[in-house]
C-alpha cells in the first residue's frame, strides 16, 4: 500500500486529506455515497458509477478482498473510491487479491483515512457535489477550483462511455432458449446471469441500434438495463426505444426504467443526493408487501408526468415516496428504478424476472 | 394492517432472576414492549419475579405480578384477573427470554391457556416448538434445502452412542430447551462424550440431547431478523463472532456488522434466514438465526434459531439503534413493518435494514475470580455474567474502547500497568538496552518455527507451569496452549504472541480466529513499536504525552483507540487529558442513526471517536476542523453515570437506580444524560434519557462527554452514587477535574470507607461497632487478628460484592486469605503507600444481620436542618458472615423487638446527619445480644434499593434524586404520596439466585464473598408463604414430603435438632451422616445413617444425591472447597437442582415455609396479588 497523500476537494470548498491507494492521478467527477455494507467489488465494477466518485459509508472496506466472480462488468468504471479505512489484509476463501492492487490495475484512484461520515452528511445536506480526487495536486485553492470547474451531471450522456461496440450473445445456462434482447447502456452482468438462468439467450446490443435491426433477430422480449448519467441526455436510446414499445414484452431496470418513461413521454428529474445502497424499502403497491432493495440512481421519474401518459405506479420508495416502478399494461412493459438483480443487495425482488419470463411466455 | 381490536388485555412474561445466560437484556426488551403495548391502548398484565427490573415498576403495566414464573402462577393470575372482570385475552411470551418462553409453552401444554381462552401472540406455540425442538428444527431445515450439521438426537446414553456412529468425534452435545447452552459441550474423546451426554440428558426439560458434528473452528455468524404477517422481512443486524465455533456466542467477542463476508455469501445467509422464518412460521416478531461457515470452502450451515427476542437482539438494538423489542411488540398486535415508524429518523418506516457506519465490539465479562475452582476454558456452555459494548469508527478503536469498558483494570489492548511486556521493556530500557521497546522478532529476527510444532491443537504440553503465563517472556509452550484453548485472557496472549514475533498465520492455526481480525490486532501491536520508539529516545519524566507526541501521532493514537492512560504508561509521561467535541485534533461525537447519515436523524444516541480533520479555505488560508454532530439543548443537564458491564455484585439493581435517576431528573425539568457501556440495560435504551453516550466508564472517557456538553449547556451536576462501584471510583477524579458531584460529597463516601476516621465518628456519636483494625501489610493483619481474637472477618476496601472477603477462624486461614485481600481492591493506588488497607473485624458469632436503606437531605456533615427517612429495614435470614447479597432477607423484620427497630432508626439518623448524607444510604448492622453493631455504611445506592422500593411501594431512587437536585426530602416524599415512616405492604422476601449449576464441581456454599448473580422476590401475607414463593421463584422448589438429609458441623448440631424434629413431624424421612445421626439420636429423633465414603455398608451420600433419592439437603459446612468431600456433595446437589440449604437460619426459614405450604395445601396456600392491589391497600 502506498502512503502517498491523496486529496478529495468538493465544490463547496471542503477538502478531505487522506492516504492514496490504488492508482495515482487526478480525476473530477460527481461525488456520491453508498450505504451498502457488503458488495464493494460489485460497486467498483458496476457501469452505472461511470463518472462518479463513490464514498462508502461502511467504514471498513476491503476486508474480504476481491475475486474473479463478483464482477458486474469487464472493468471498473468509477473515477474514484473513498473509504474510511482500507483493510491491510483481506480474508475470504474466494479472494484472489486485495483492493489496492485491484484498483491500481484498473487505474482507479482510491482515498482512505478520511471522515466519510462528515463527507456523507455534506452530500446529504447540499446534494451530490462535484469533486476532484488527486494525488498530484496539493494546493487547496487549486483543488477546489478544479472541482468547481468540472462538468455537472445534469445533461451528461455517459451511456456512450460504457456501451458495447457491437452485439454479443450471452448463452442460456440451461433450458429452452427464449430469445431476449438486452439494451446495454452499461448493463450489470447479474441481469444477464438471471436471464440466462431462466433459460434466455440474451442478445446484447448497444442503445444506438435502430429498432429495425433489433427486430431482425425476432426477439421475444426486451430488457433495458441500468447505466450511468442523466437519462434525459441519452437521446439515442430513447429514440431507439420508442418504436419498440408495444411490439414485445419489455422490462426496464434503473436507467432502463427512466428511459422507458422518457420514451413514453414522461419526465425525469435529478434527486438531491440520489439513492445508493442496499437497504431501501420499496412498497409493492399491488401486494402491499415491502421489498428491501438495492438502489443506485441519481435521477427519478416524475410521477405526475408518468401517470399522464398512462403509466401505472407499481412500486414506491418508502423513504421518500419517489417512484420505484411502473407498468403499462397495454404496451406490455414494466420497469423498476431499483436493482432486482441485486449484486450487491438483497434478493427480495427476483420475482420480477419470473414475471418478465411469464410475459414472454413459451 | 391495523392493530387488533379483538384483544384488550395482554399478559407479558419477564425472564425472572438474572442468571448466566439471561441478564438484564430481557428487562430492556420487556420494558420496551410494555411501554409500546400500553401506548397502543392495550391493558398490560405483567409477570416477573425479579424486583430489580424496571418492567416491574407499577407504572409500566396495568397489573404487575411479582410472583414466581411458573405455569400454576399463570393459571392463578388468569383466574384472578377473570374474577376481577378483565380477563386476559393474549399472552406475549417472546420477550422474556428462554424462561418466559418455556413457561408459556408449559402453560400451553398443560391446557392452562386453552382453559382460559388465551391466545399466544408474537409466535405461535407450533412455531416455538418447531424452532426449539432439535429434531423438528432439523427436519424443517432439510425440507427447505438448507445445510445443517450432521446430527442426531438421543434420549438415552445407548441411543446417543448409536447416533455417534454416524456423527463421529469430535462432536457437540446440545440439550433441548435449556438456556445459554446449559449442560452442553464439545467432546473430543469418548470419555468426554459419555460425561457430557449424561449431563445434557438430565438437564434438558424433555430429556433430549442433540449430537452434532464438531464445527469447532468454523466462522460463526448471527442474523437478527424480523418478519411480519405480510411476509415482510428485514435483517436488523449481522453479527460476526471473533471467536470461532466452539465458544458459546455469549462468551464470544462479537462484532457488528459482519466483516468478512462478501455480498454473495451474506445474501445467501439472508436468503436462508428468510426461508427459515417462513418455514418455522414466525410471522409477528423477531428471531435470531445462527450460522457456521467453513473458512476453507464457504459451506454455510444453519446452527439454530431462537423465535424470540434474545441477548443478541438486545445487542443488535444497541448496535444499530433499531428497537427490536418495540417493533416486535407492535407486530404481535397486528401491525406490519411498513406501518411502524422508525423512531430514530422519524420520517422513515421500520421496514428497512439499518446501515451502520461504525464498528461495534462486544466483549463478555466473566467472574472466574469468584469461583477459583471453576474451569475457565470457554466452551459451548456460557459462563460470562455480563458484557460491555463499544462503538468506534474502526474495529481497532472499538476493540480498545471495549476492553477499557470491561472494568478489569485494563486500559486497552496492552500498554498499561498490567502489561507484562511493557513492564519488562521499561526495565530493559532503564538498564540501558538500546532496543528495549522493539519486539523480540524485530530484535532477534524471525520467530523460531519449532515453537509451533508438536502436539495437536489445544492439548496441554507436558510440565507446563501455568503461573509462567503471567511472566514475560512467556514460555512458548504455555503460550501455545493459551492460544489454542479459548479463555477469557486470550486476546492478551495473542498480543504476547505477536510480541514474540509469531505471525498472523501461526496464531490463526492455533486460535482459528479469522486472519482479518488477527491482522487488526497485529496492526495495533506494530503501531506500538512506532509509538515506543519515541519513549526510547525521549528523556523520561517531566514531559507530558502531549509534549512527547506530535499532533499527528497523538491523533493517530486516538483514532486507533488508545486511551490517555495507555499513552501515559507507554511513554512514562503525564496523560494528555481529555479533549472536547469539535476540537482541532479530530476528537468528536458521532450519532447512531440507523442509516449511516443518509437521512437526518432525531436520535440522542452518541459515541466518541476521532476523525481526520477537514480542510476549508477561509480568507485564503486552509483551516482544519472536525464536524460537530452533537447538538445540545441549552437547558441545565444532569449526568448519570451507569454501572458498566454486569458482574457479580454489580448488576441490574444499579441500572434500575440509574434509570430512576434519569427519569426523575427529566420529571423535574432537567435534561438527563446517561453514560454507560452495558448493552443489556434499560439505561442504554435510546429513549430513557435525553442524551445517551455509549462510552467506557473511565475518567478520560467520561470527562470527554462532560466537556462536550459543557461547551454548549450548563451541567447541574453528575450522579455517581447510583451505578455501584464503577462510577463511585470516578468520583474523586471527576471532582478534581471540576465536575460537580450531586448529593453526598465524595469526601463523605470516602469517610465511610476509611476505617480509622469512621471509627472516630462512631465513637463521637456513641455507636457500637465490632472491634476492628486496618492493616496495610500481612504482619499488621496478623497482629490485629491476634489482638481481636479469632474468628475475624477480613475485607479489602473499595471492592464490589465482598470481593476477597473471608471469615478466618485461625491464623492459618488468615495467612491463606489476607494476601488475596490486598490484591483485590478495585481502586488503583497512586503509590505503594497509598494502597487501600484491608480491614480486620472481630466476627460476631450468631449475630442477626440487618440491612437498612435510607434517604436523607443533609447538605453538609452535621447539618441541623436536614432530615432522614428509613426506606426499609431488612432482616437477613442467614446469619452475619454470609455476604448480604447472598443472604435472603425479609421486610419487615420478622424477629426484631420494636425497641430494637426504634434504636436502629435512631442510629441511622445519627449516621446520616454526621456524614452529611444527601441522597441514598445503606447501613448494615449486626444484632448480637440485643445490641446493634454497625458493620458497614455506604452513603450511596445499594443493591437492595429496588427490592425495598417494590416492598414499600415507594420509588426511593427517585426520591433520592430529587433530594440530590436540591429539593427538600419532605417535598420529594410528598410527590410520591409518602408520609414519614412508610410501612411495608406485606411480607416481602428477597432470595438470591446462584450460578453453581454453570460451574460444575464448584462448592455451592455461602460465605462472605458474594457469588449470586440475581434475585427474586416473594410477597405474601405471612413470612412462610412469602419465603416459599421466593424459593419457588428462585428455582428451589421446596418439597412438602420425601427424603431429607441432614449433615451439619459441630456448633450447629444442637441447633439442627428442632429443625429435624419438625421435618419428621411434617412427614419427611430423615437421613443423616455419622455425627449428626448421633446428635439426632440423642435427642430421640430417628434417622437413617449414610456414609460419607463410597463402599461402606450404609448408603453412600453422593449416590443418594446423584440417584435423585433426596428431596432436601441440609448441610452446614465444616470445610469449604470443591476438593473436599462435602464440597463435592454440595456441587452435586447444585448440579441436580436439589434444594440445598447451607445455614441453620436458612433451614429454619425453609422448614417454616414448608409448614405454611402444608397447612393450607400447596394449591390453596399460594395466591397471587398484583403490586397495584397492595398499593391500594387491598387484602
Amino acid at each position: 500500500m502506498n502512503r502517498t497523500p491523496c486529496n478529495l476537494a468538493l465544490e463547496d470548498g471542503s477538502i478531505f486529506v487522506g492516504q492514496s491507494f490504488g492508482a495515482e492521478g487526478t480525476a473530477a467527477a460527481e461525488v456520491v455515497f453508498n450505504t451498502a455494507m457488503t458488495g464493494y467489488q460489485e460497486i467498483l465494477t458496476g457501469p452505472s458509477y461511470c463518472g462518479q466518485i463513490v464514498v462508502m459509508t461502511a467504514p471498513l472496506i476491503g476486508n474480504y478482498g476481491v475475486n474473479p466472480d463478483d464482477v458486474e462488468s469487464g472493468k471498473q468504471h468509477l473515477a474514484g473510491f473513498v473509504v474510511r479505512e482500507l483493510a491491510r489484509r483481506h480474508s475470504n476463501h474466494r479472494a484472489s487479491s486485495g483492493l489496492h492492487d485491484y484498483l491500481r490495475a484498473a487505474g482507479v484512484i482510491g482515498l482512505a483515512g478520511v471522515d466519510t461520515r462528515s463527507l456523507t452528511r455534506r452530500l446529504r445536506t447540499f446534494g451530490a457535489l462535484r469533486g476532484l480526487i488527486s494525488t498530484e495536486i496539493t494546493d487547496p485553492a487549486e483543488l477546489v477550483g478544479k472541482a468547481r470547474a468540472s462538468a455537472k451531471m445534469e445533461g451528461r450522456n455517459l451511456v456512450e462511455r460504457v456501451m458495447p461496440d457491437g452485439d454479443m450473445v450471452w448463452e442460456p445456462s440451461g433450458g429452452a432458449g427464449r430469445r431476449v434482447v438486452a439494451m446495454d447502456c452499461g448493463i450489470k452482468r447479474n441481469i444477464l446471469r438471471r436471464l440466462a438462468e431462466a433459460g434466455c439467450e440474451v442478445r446484447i446490443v448497444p442503445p444506438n441500434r435502430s429498432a429495425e435491426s433489433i427486430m431482425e433477430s425476432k426477439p421475444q422480449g426486451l430488457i433495458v438495463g441500468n447505466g450511468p448519467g442523466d437519462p434525459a441526455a441519452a437521446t439515442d436510446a430513447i429514440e431507439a426505444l420508442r418504436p419498440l414499445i408495444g411490439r414485445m414484452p419489455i422490462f426496464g431496470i434503473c436507467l432502463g426504467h427512466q428511459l422507458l418513461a422518457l420514451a413514453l413521454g414522461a419526465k425525469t428529474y435529478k434527486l438531491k443526493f440520489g439513492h445508493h445502497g442496499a437497504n431501501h424499502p420499496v412498497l409493492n403497491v399491488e401486494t402491499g408487501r415491502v421489498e428491501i432493495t438495492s438502489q443506485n440512481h441519481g435521477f427519478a421519474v416524475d410521477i405526475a408526468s408518468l401517470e399522464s401518459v398512462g403509466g401505472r405506479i407499481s412500486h414506491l420508495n418508502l423513504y421518500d415516496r419517489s417512484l420505484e416502478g411502473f407498468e403499462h399494461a397495454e404496451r406490455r412493459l414494466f420497469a423498476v428504478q431499483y436493482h432486482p438483480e441485486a449484486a450487491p443487495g438483497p434478493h427480495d425482488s427476483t420475482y420480477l424476472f419470473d414475471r418478465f419470463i411469464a410475459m414472454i411466455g413459451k | 394492517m391495523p392493530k387488533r381490536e379483538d384483544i384488550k388485555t395482554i399478559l407479558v412474561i419477564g425472564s425472572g432472576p438474572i442468571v448466566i445466560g439471561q441478564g438484564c437484556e430481557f428487562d430492556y426488551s420487556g420494558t420496551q414492549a410494555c411501554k409500546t403495548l400500553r401506548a397502543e391502548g392495550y391493558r398490560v398484565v405483567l409477570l416477573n419475579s425479579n424486583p430489580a427490573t424496571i418492567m416491574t415498576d407499577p407504572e409500566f403495566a396495568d397489573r404487575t405480578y411479582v410472583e414466581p414464573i411458573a405455569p400454576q402462577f399463570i393459571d392463578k393470575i388468569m383466574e384472578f384477573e377473570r374474577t376481577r372482570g378483565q380477563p386476559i385475552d393474549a399472552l406475549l411470551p417472546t420477550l422474556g427470554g428462554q424462561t418466559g418462553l418455556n413457561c408459556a409453552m408449559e402453560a400451553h401444554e398443560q391446557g392452562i391457556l386453552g382453559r382460559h381462552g388465551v391466545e399466544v401472540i408474537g409466535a405461535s406455540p407450533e412455531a416455538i416448538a418447531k424452532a426449539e425442538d432439535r429434531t423438528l428444527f432439523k427436519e424443517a431445515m432439510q425440507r427447505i434445502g438448507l445445510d445443517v450439521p450432521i446430527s442426531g438426537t438421543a434420549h438415552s446414553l445407548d441411543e446417543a452412542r448409536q447416533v455417534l456412529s454416524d456423527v463421529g468425534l469430535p462432536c457437540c452435545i446440545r440439550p433441548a430447551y435449556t438456556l445459554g447452552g446449559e449442560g452442553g459441550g464439545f467432546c473430543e474423546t469418548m470419555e468426554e462424550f459419555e460425561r457430557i451426554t449424561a449431563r445434557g440428558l438430565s438437564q434438558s426439560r424433555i430429556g433430549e440431547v442433540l449430537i452434532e458434528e464438531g464445527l469447532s473452528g468454523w466462522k460463526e455468524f448471527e442474523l437478527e431478523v424480523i418478519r411480519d404477517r405480510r411476509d415482510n422481512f428485514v435483517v436488523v443486524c449481522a453479527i460476526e463472532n471473533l471467536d470461532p465455533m466452539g465458544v458459546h456466542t455469549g462468551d464470544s467477542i462479537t462484532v457488528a456488522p459482519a466483516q468478512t463476508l462478501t455480498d454473495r455469501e451474506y445474501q445467501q445467509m439472508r436468503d436462508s434466514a428468510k426461508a427459515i422464518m417462513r418455514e418455522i412460521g414466525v410471522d409477528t416478531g423477531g428471531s435470531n438465526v445462527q450460522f457456521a461457515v467453513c473458512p476453507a470452502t464457504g459451506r454455510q450451515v444453519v446452527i439454530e434459531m431462537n423465535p424470540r427476542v434474545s441477548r443478541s437482539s438486545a445487542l443488535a438494538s444497541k448496535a444499530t439503534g433499531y428497537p427490536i423489542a418495540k417493533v416486535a411488540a407492535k407486530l404481535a398486535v397486528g401491525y406490519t413493518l411498513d406501518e411502524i415508524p422508525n423512531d430514530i429518523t422519524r420520517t422513515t418506516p421500520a421496514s428497512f435494514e439499518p446501515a451502520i457506519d461504525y464498528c461495534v465490539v462486544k466483549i463478555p465479562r466473566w467472574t472466574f475470580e469468584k469461583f477459583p475452582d471453576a474451569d475457565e476454558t470457554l466452551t459451548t456452555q456460557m459462563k460470562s455474567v455480563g458484557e460491555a459494548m463499544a462503538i468506534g469508527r474502526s474495529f481497532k478503536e472499538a476493540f480498545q474502547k471495549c476492553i477499557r469498558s470491561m472494568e478489569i483494570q485494563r486500559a486497552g489492548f496492552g500498554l498499561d500497568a498490567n502489561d507484562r511486556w511493557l513492564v519488562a521493556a521499561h526495565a530493559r530500557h532503564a538498564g540501558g538496552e538500546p532496543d528495549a521497546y522493539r519486539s523480540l522478532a524485530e530484535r532477534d529476527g524471525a520467530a523460531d518455527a519449532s515453537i509451533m510444532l508438536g502436539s495437536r491443537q489445544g492439548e496441554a504440553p507436558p510440565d507446563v507451569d501455568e503461573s509462567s503465563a503471567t511472566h514475560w517472556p512467556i514460555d512458548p509452550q504455555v503460550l501455545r496452549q493459551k492460544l489454542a484453548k479459548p479463555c477469557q485472557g486470550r486476546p492478551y496472549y495473542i498480543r504476547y504472541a505477536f510480541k514474540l514475533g509469531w505471525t498472523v498465520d501461526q496464531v490463526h492455526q492455533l486460535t482459528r480466529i479469522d486472519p482479518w481480525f488477527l491482522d487488526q490486532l497485529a496492526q495495533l501491536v506494530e503501531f506500538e513499536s512506532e509509538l515506543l520508539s519515541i519513549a526510547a529516545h525521549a528523556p523520561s519524566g517531566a514531559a507530558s504525552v502531549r509534549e512527547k507526541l506530535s499532533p499527528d501521532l497523538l491523533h493517530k493514537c486516538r483514532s486507533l483507540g488508545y486511551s490517555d492512560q495507555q499513552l501515559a504508561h507507554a511513554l512514562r509521561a503525564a496523560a494528555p487529558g481529555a479533549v472536547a467535541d469539535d476540537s482541532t485534533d479530530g476528537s468528536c461525537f458521532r450519532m447512531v442513526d440507523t442509516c449511516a447519515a443518509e437521512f437526518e436523524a432525531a436520535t440522542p444516541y452518541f459515541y466518541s471517536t476521532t476523525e481526520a480533520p477537514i480542510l476549508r479555505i477561509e480568507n485564503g488560508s486552509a483551516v482544519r476542523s472536525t464536524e460537530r454532530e452533537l447538538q445540545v439543548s441549552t437547558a441545565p443537564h444532569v449526568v448519570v453515570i451507569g454501572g458498566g458491564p454486569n458482574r457479580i455484585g454489580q448488576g441490574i439493581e444499579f441500572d434500575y437506580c440509574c434509570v430512576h435517576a434519569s427519569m426523575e431528573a427529566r420529571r423535574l425539568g432537567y435534561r438527563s444524560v446517561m453514560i454507560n457501556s452495558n448493552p443489556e440495560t434499560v439505561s442504554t435504551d435510546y429513549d430513557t434519557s435525553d442524551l445517551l453516550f455509549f462510552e467506557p466508564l473511565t475518567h478520560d472517557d467520561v470527562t470527554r462527554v462532560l466537556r462536550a456538553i459543557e461547551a454548549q449547556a450548563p451541567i447541574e451536576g453528575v450522579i455517581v452514587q447510583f451505578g455501584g462501584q464503577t462510577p463511585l471510583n470516578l468520583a474523586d477524579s471527576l471532582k478534581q477535574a471540576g465536575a460537580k458531584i450531586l448529593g453526598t460529597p465524595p469526601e463523605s463516601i470516602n469517610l465511610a470507607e476509611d476505617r480509622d476516621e469512621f471509627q472516630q465518628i462512631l465513637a463521637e456519636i456513641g455507636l457500637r461497632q465490632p472491634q476492628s483494625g486496618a492493616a496495610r501489610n500481612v504482619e499488621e493483619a496478623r497482629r490485629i487478628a491476634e489482638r481481636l481474637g479469632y474468628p475475624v472477618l477480613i475485607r479489602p476496601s473499595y471492592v464490589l460484592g465482598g470481593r476477597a472477603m473471608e471469615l478466618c477462624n485461625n491464623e492459618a486461614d488468615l495467612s491463606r486469605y489476607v494476601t488475596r485481600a490486598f490484591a483485590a481492591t478495585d481502586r488503583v493506588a497512586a503509590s505503594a503507600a497509598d494502597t487501600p488497607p484491608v480491614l480486620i473485624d472481630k466476627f460476631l458469632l450468631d449475630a442477626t444481620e440487618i440491612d437498612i436503606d435510607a434517604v436523607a437531605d443533609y447538605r453538609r456533615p452535621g447539618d441541623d436542618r436536614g432530615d432522614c427517612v428509613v426506606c426499609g429495614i431488612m432482616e437477613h435470614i442467614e446469619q452475619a458472615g454470609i455476604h448480604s447479597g447472598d443472604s435472603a432477607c425479609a421486610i419487615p423484620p420478622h424477629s426484631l423487638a420494636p425497641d430494637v427497630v426504634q434504636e436502629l432508626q435512631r442510629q441511622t439518623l445519627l449516621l446520616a446527619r454526621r456524614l452529611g448524607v444527601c441522597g441514598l444510604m445503606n447501613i448494615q448492622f449486626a444484632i448480637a445480644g440485643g445490641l446493634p453493631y454497625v458493620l458497614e455504611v455506604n452513603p450511596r445506592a445499594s443493591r437492595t434499593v429496588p427490592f425495598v422500593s417494590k416492598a414499600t411501594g415507594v420509588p426511593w431512587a427517585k426520591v433520592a434524586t430529587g433530594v440530590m437536585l436540591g429539593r427538600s426530602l419532605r417535598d420529594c416524599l410528598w410527590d410520591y404520596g409518602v408520609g414519614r415512616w412508610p410501612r411495608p405492604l406485606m411480607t416481602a422476601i428477597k432470595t438470591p439466585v446462584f450460578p453453581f449449576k454453570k460451574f460444575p464441581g464448584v462448592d455451592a456454599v455461602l460465605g462472605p464473598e458474594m457469588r449470586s448473580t440475581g434475585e427474586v422476590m416473594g410477597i405474601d401475607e405471612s413470612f412462610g408463604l412469602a419465603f416459599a414463593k421466593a424459593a419457588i421463584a428462585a428455582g428451589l422448589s421446596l418439597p412438602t414430603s420425601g427424603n431429607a438429609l441432614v449433615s451439619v458441623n459441630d456448633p450447629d448440631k444442637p441447633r439442627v435438632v428442632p429443625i429435624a424434629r419438625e421435618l419428621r413431624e411434617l412427614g419427611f424421612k430423615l437421613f443423616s451422616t455419622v455425627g449428626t445421626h448421633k446428635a439426632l439420636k440423642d435427642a430421640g429423633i430417628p434417622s437413617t445413617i449414610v456414609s460419607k465414603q463410597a463402599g461402606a455398608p450404609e448408603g453412600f451420600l453422593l449416590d443418594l444425591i446423584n440417584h435423585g433419592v433426596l428431596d432436601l439437603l441440609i448441610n452446614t459446612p465444616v470445610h469449604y472447597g470443591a476438593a473436599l468431600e462435602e464440597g463435592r456433595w454440595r456441587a452435586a446437589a447444585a448440579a441436580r437442582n436439589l434444594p440445598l440449604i447451607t445455614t441453620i437460619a436458612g433451614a429454619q426459614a425453609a422448614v417454616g415455609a414448608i409448614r405454611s405450604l402444608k397447612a393450607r395445601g400447596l394449591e390453596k396456600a399460594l395466591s397471587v396479588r398484583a403490586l397495584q392491589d397492595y398499593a391500594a391497600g387491598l387484602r
Side-chain angles (χ1 to χ4, degrees), chain A residues 85 88 117 121 290 347, chain B residues 232 271 396 519 526 629:
Chain A
E85 181 179 324
R88 182 175 80 167
R117 183 172 167 90
R121 279 163 51 92
V290 181
H347 300 157
Chain B
N232 295 322
D271 289 346
K396 296 177 279 269
D519 185 61
E526 287 167 33
E629 279 190 50

Side-chain angles (χ1 to χ4, degrees), chain B residues 705-737:
Chain B
V705 174
L706 298 182
R707 296 230 174 119
I709 296 168
E710 258 168 356
Q712 300 180 44
I715 294 181
E716 181 68 20
V718 181
I719 295 182
V720 297
Q721 291 93 331
F722 282 14
Q725 201 64 43
T726 295
L728 215 53
N729 284 344
L730 298 174
D732 290 340
S733 71
L734 288 179
K735 188 167 182 178
Q736 275 163 27

